[in-house]
């Protein structure tokens, strides 16, 4: 009875993820403080969100985050991966070092950047300021807080993409590269006409995952600024967390969670359609 | 294979790769360097070499973050999660790889779908439900949450290992009179054990480093994980960055040593799945 083999995984998954997810969707239509009886309020939670400036800031920040992570780390990763292909020697060493930030806990990465780099007292920013070039702490300015966090996440993240792209690049057929080389293609021509088309499925997949992950970003924002100053770096996931556990507005938190999931769902749908199109060709 | 022959290209390439290397290592170097310094010297210049080596940073970090207890909690949590994910995951991966059930497509799709679900989609009912059942501050309960979150990844990775095993092996064992359970446990499992080891390493790393679930579900001081107690130490109890960096190094060092020793497994496991998929 091989069906029984699936029971442990599915049981744990359904109890921990599926049932609570269904409850969250239901809770989005209730007002609940987490303790008493939930009160049905229809669409009130969503209507409140639409009128909430912080919600729009958070949503906008998630969009900015998505745009940053769709461009900067993917470009860095692709460029570095191609250069490793050119360099060949030492590529294993470069890979290991670039990947290293991925295995360090987010809480630790966040604190190192906060204290050793951004801090005006103990960090590099302070050192530069004392040398006569004032550098404000990006995390304490409303205009830069989000970007300050993004830099930390970029540092932590880009090497992962680089390693993935490098693995994909090595599977580009040798003959295509040879042929282009014999015809005298330059580095950029090689990249544009041979290598990038060769790993397009991997790039597409990574872009789709980037969009999904960009709406889930939590750790770095929560640890570095908790969404501040003045909600300037708030994202949807921190807004949901704070609503549920600090304001005890679980219904509102559930509504935000539903909005986050809708973005993930839409992205997945687009991906499946793209795949289907490619399949038809 | 060489893409481009010219010397200049080589020089530029290595220079660019080296700059990226420095950017990656710089914060890590700051972490190590300042873990040995007194706070006063860090405030003067975080880049300077330590004038005196303050080894007692590590002692104070160990005591203030109660690593004696919290590291044990983290290790227990990681071990429980590894055991749960590897046992349940390998069963599921085998069935899905060999399409032993008619619904294999639906199950695969369901598991993939849960990997894209935000934690906030199930966190709140789960928290208040666990609170009602008295499961807050329970390490085993948290390891169940980790299992649910990480097992889709483990199943997908293990599936590729099962797929690589020739079907004839299974058939031969069945002809020799082995039961289906024996085929799985005596024939298949030993062959895919390298895959299980890779999964164990990565799941161990994820649970050791995890923050959001741990900080929400394990709040009592004697139940904190090492990462969360580091977070609290650096946020509330001290502003001595020497001590904070020492605490960070204590948590990170075993991870980095393990990563460098087994880098191929880590990288293939964490990055490989997404290329094949």
């Amino acid at each position: 009875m091989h069906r029984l083999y699936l029971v442990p995984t599915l049981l744990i998954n359904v109890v921990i993820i599926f049932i609570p997810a269904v409850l969250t969707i239901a809770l989005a239509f209730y007002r609940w403080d987490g303790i008493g009886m939930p009160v049905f309020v229809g669409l009130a939670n969503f209507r409140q969100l639409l009128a909430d400036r912080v919600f729009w800031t958070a949503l906008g920040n998630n969009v900015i985050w998505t745009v940053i992570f769709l461009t900067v780390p993917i470009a860095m990763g692709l460029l570095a991966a191609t250069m490793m292909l050119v360099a060949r020697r030492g590529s294993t060493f470069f890979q290991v070092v670039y990947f290293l930030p991925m295995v360090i806990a987010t809480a630790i990465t966040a604190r190192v950047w906060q204290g050793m780099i951004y801090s005006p007292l103990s960090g590099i920013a302070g050192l530069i300021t004392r040398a006569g070039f004032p550098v404000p702490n990006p995390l304490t300015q409303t205009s830069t807080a989000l970007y300050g966090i993004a830099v930390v996440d970029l540092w932590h993240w880009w090497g992962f993409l680089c390693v993935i792209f490098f693995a994909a690049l090595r599977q580009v057929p040798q003959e295509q590269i040879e042929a282009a080389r014999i015809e005298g293609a330059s580095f950029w021509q090689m990249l544009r006409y041979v290598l990038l088309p060769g790993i397009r499925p991997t790039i597409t997949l990574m872009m789709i995952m980037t969009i999904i992950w960009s709406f889930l970003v939590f750790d770095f924002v929560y640890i570095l600024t908790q969404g501040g100053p003045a909600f300037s770096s708030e994202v949807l996931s921190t807004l949901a967390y704070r609503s549920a556990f600090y304001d005890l507005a679980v219904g509102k938190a559930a509504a935000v969670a539903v909005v986050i999931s809708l973005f993930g769902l839409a992205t997945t749908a687009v991906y499946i359609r793209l795949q289907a199109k490619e399949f038809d060709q | 294979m060489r893409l481009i022959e010219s010397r200049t290209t080589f020089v530029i390439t290595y220079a660019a790769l080296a700059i990226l290397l420095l950017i990656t290592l710089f914060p890590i170097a700051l972490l190590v360097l300042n873990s040995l310094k007194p706070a006063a010297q860090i405030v003067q210049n975080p880049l300077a070499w330590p004038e005196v080596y303050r080894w007692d940073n590590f002692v104070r970090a160990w005591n203030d973050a109660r690593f004696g207890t919290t590291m044990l909690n983290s290790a227990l949590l990681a071990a429980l999660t590894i055991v749960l994910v590897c046992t349940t995951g390998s069963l599921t991966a085998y069935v899905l790889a060999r399409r032993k059930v008619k619904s294999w497509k639906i199950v695969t799709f369901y598991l993939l779908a849960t990997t894209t679900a935000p934690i906030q989609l199930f966190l709140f009912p789960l928290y208040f439900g666990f609170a009602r059942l008295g499961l807050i501050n329970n390490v085993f309960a948290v390891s169940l949450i980790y299992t649910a979150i990480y097992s889709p990844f483990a199943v997908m990775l293990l599936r590729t290992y099962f797929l690589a095993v020739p079907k004839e092996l299974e058939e031969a064992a069945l002809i020799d009179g082995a039961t289906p359970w024996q085929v799985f446990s005596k024939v298949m499992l030993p062959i895919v054990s390298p895959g299980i080891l890779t999964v164990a390493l990565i799941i161990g790393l994820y649970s050791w480093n995890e923050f959001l679930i741990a900080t929400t579900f394990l709040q009592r001081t004697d139940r904190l994980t090492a990462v969360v107690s580091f977070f609290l130490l650096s946020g509330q109890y001290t502003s001595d960055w020497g001590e904070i960096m020492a605490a960070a190094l204590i948590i990170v060092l075993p991870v980095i040593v393990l990563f460098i020793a087994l880098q191929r497994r880590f990288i293939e496991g964490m990055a490989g799945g997404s290329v094949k998929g």
Side-chain angles (χ1 to χ4, degrees):
Chain A
M1 276 312 283
H2 283 114
R3 223 174 292 168
L4 289 176
Y5 289 23
L6 296 176
V7 170
T9 299
L10 289 181
L11 187 69
I12 294 174
N13 200 290
V14 166
V15 170
I16 303 283
I17 296 181
F18 186 76
I19 296 175
V22 172
L23 286 175
T24 302
I25 296 169
L27 273 176
F29 302 96
Y30 285 82
R31 193 172 58 231
W32 190 38
D33 58 6
I35 302 153
M37 276 301 284
V39 183
F40 184 78
V41 291
L43 288 170
N45 286 325
F46 291 98
R47 241 180 265 128
Q48 248 172 36
L49 283 185
L50 292 183
D52 185 354
R53 283 240 315 280
V54 178
F55 170 76
W56 289 107
T57 314
L59 185 60
N61 282 344
N62 273 116
V63 173
I64 295 172
W65 194 273
T66 311
V67 172
I68 295 174
F69 278 80
L70 273 178
T71 48
V72 183
I74 290 188
M76 277 172 82
L78 277 173
L79 208 62
T82 332
M83 290 191 301
M84 291 200 307
L85 207 63
V86 173
R88 293 224 49 219
R89 278 211 184 162
S91 61
T92 314
F93 170 70
F94 286 119
Q95 258 199 106
V96 170
V97 175
Y98 295 161
F99 200 82
L100 197 56
M102 272 300 281
V103 303
I104 298 175
T106 48
I108 288 174
T109 301
R111 286 296 191 230
V112 171
W113 277 81
Q114 202 171 24
M116 298 289 100
I117 293 173
Y118 287 153
S119 162
L121 267 177
S122 54
I124 300 296
L127 187 69
I128 299 173
T129 303
R130 285 193 296 278
F133 307 94
V135 190
N137 182 348
L139 298 178
T140 56
Q141 316 284 318
T142 52
S143 56
T144 54
L146 186 72
Y147 303 101
I149 303 166
V151 168
V152 180
D153 202 350
L154 276 176
W155 176 82
H156 151 92
W157 173 242
W158 79 273
F160 177 74
L161 288 177
C162 173
V163 167
I164 286 179
F165 291 143
F166 185 60
L169 280 174
R170 280 197 295 192
Q171 285 166 17
V172 174
Q174 200 59 58
E175 307 85 67
Q176 292 182 14
I177 295 173
E178 272 308 304
R181 203 175 58 89
I182 289 166
E183 290 186 20
S186 72
F187 177 85
W188 295 110
Q189 284 172 325
M190 181 78 82
L191 191 63
R192 169 78 183 77
Y193 296 104
V194 181
L195 298 177
L196 287 188
I199 62 165
R200 227 189 65 192
T202 306
I203 300 177
T204 316
L205 179 68
M206 283 302 115
M207 292 182 103
I208 298 292
M209 293 320 284
T210 299
I211 299 176
I212 294 175
W213 286 326
S214 295
F215 279 89
L216 307 186
V217 53
F218 178 86
D219 285 15
F220 284 123
V221 179
Y222 184 76
I223 297 169
L224 287 170
T225 65
Q226 307 218 299
F231 306 115
S232 60
S233 62
E234 191 86 272
V235 288
L236 290 174
S237 65
T238 52
L239 175 65
Y241 194 86
R242 219 162 25 79
S243 304
F245 293 125
Y246 291 53
D247 308 340
L248 291 178
V250 184
K252 180 186 170 193
V256 177
V258 168
V259 172
I260 303 174
S261 310
L262 285 179
F263 278 99
L265 213 62
T267 319
T268 317
V270 170
Y271 179 61
I272 292 171
R273 282 195 63 178
L274 278 178
Q275 292 290 82
K277 233 186 220 165
E278 220 146 82
F279 198 71
D280 288 341
Q281 280 170 358
Chain B
M1 172 207 62
R2 281 202 180 156
L3 280 178
I4 287 114
E5 242 79 328
S6 109
R7 252 190 93 85
T8 6
T9 322
F10 262 106
V11 174
I12 294 171
T13 303
Y14 273 107
L17 288 174
I19 289 170
L20 287 170
L21 204 73
L22 286 180
I23 293 173
T24 307
L25 290 177
F26 182 64
I28 300 174
L30 281 175
L31 191 173
V32 178
L33 194 64
N34 290 302
S35 70
L36 290 166
K37 290 200 267 189
Q41 209 204 329
I42 298 176
V43 173
Q44 266 170 29
N45 183 355
L47 285 174
W49 198 259
E51 282 163 16
V52 278
Y53 295 103
R54 283 289 292 266
W55 297 106
D56 73 305
N57 278 351
F58 291 91
V59 179
R60 281 184 298 132
W62 185 275
N63 292 332
D64 288 351
R66 285 180 304 276
F67 277 144
T69 312
T70 55
M71 286 261 206
L72 214 62
N73 290 340
S74 282
L76 180 67
L77 181 55
L80 278 171
T81 310
I82 288 172
V83 170
L84 279 169
V85 169
C86 287
T87 47
T88 64
S90 57
L91 284 166
T92 304
Y94 170 65
V95 172
L96 294 183
R98 284 292 187 254
R99 304 184 182 177
K100 294 283 188 191
V101 294
K102 268 191 224 138
S103 54
W104 68 272
K105 250 186 184 167
I106 302 167
V107 175
T108 311
F109 183 79
Y110 169 75
L111 289 178
L112 281 176
T114 61
T115 59
T116 60
I119 290 179
Q120 277 81 2
L121 187 60
F122 52 88
L123 183 68
F124 312 125
L126 196 63
Y127 177 82
F128 293 106
F130 272 27
R132 203 153 287 185
L133 296 171
L135 291 174
I136 304 296
N137 296 318
N138 183 321
V139 174
F140 181 71
V142 174
S143 80
L144 278 176
I145 304 178
Y146 285 175
T147 306
I149 297 174
Y150 300 143
S151 58
F153 154 80
V155 167
M156 294 311 146
L157 189 63
L158 282 173
R159 201 182 69 105
T160 61
Y161 283 88
F162 278 112
L163 282 173
V165 181
K167 270 215 165 94
E168 290 76 21
L169 225 61
E170 242 174 301
E171 284 156 10
L174 281 172
I175 290 167
D176 287 345
T179 64
W181 174 252
Q182 283 171 327
V183 170
F184 171 73
S185 60
K186 296 269 161 60
V187 180
M188 299 300 276
L189 272 190
I191 301 176
V192 299
S193 55
I196 294 178
L197 182 60
T198 304
V199 167
L201 277 174
I202 291 165
I203 298 304
L205 174 75
Y206 285 165
S207 4
W208 183 263
N209 285 349
E210 204 278 337
F211 177 75
L212 169 57
I213 302 281
T215 192
T216 310
F217 286 84
L218 299 173
Q219 297 169 337
R220 221 169 69 197
T221 40
D222 62 330
R223 294 293 161 85
L224 299 175
T225 65
V227 165
V228 174
S229 83
F230 164 81
F231 169 73
L232 296 174
L233 171 85
S234 51
Q236 300 165 3
Y237 298 118
T238 178
S239 53
D240 175 348
W241 281 97
E243 182 186 349
I244 295 170
M245 289 302 106
L249 193 60
I250 293 174
I251 298 178
V252 157
L253 199 63
V255 173
I256 290 185
V257 169
L258 207 64
F259 170 68
I260 290 173
L262 299 164
Q263 35 105 352
R264 183 160 290 174
R265 266 182 205 286
F266 274 104
I267 291 179
E268 267 170 24
M270 286 167 81
S274 17
V275 177
K276 282 174 210 145

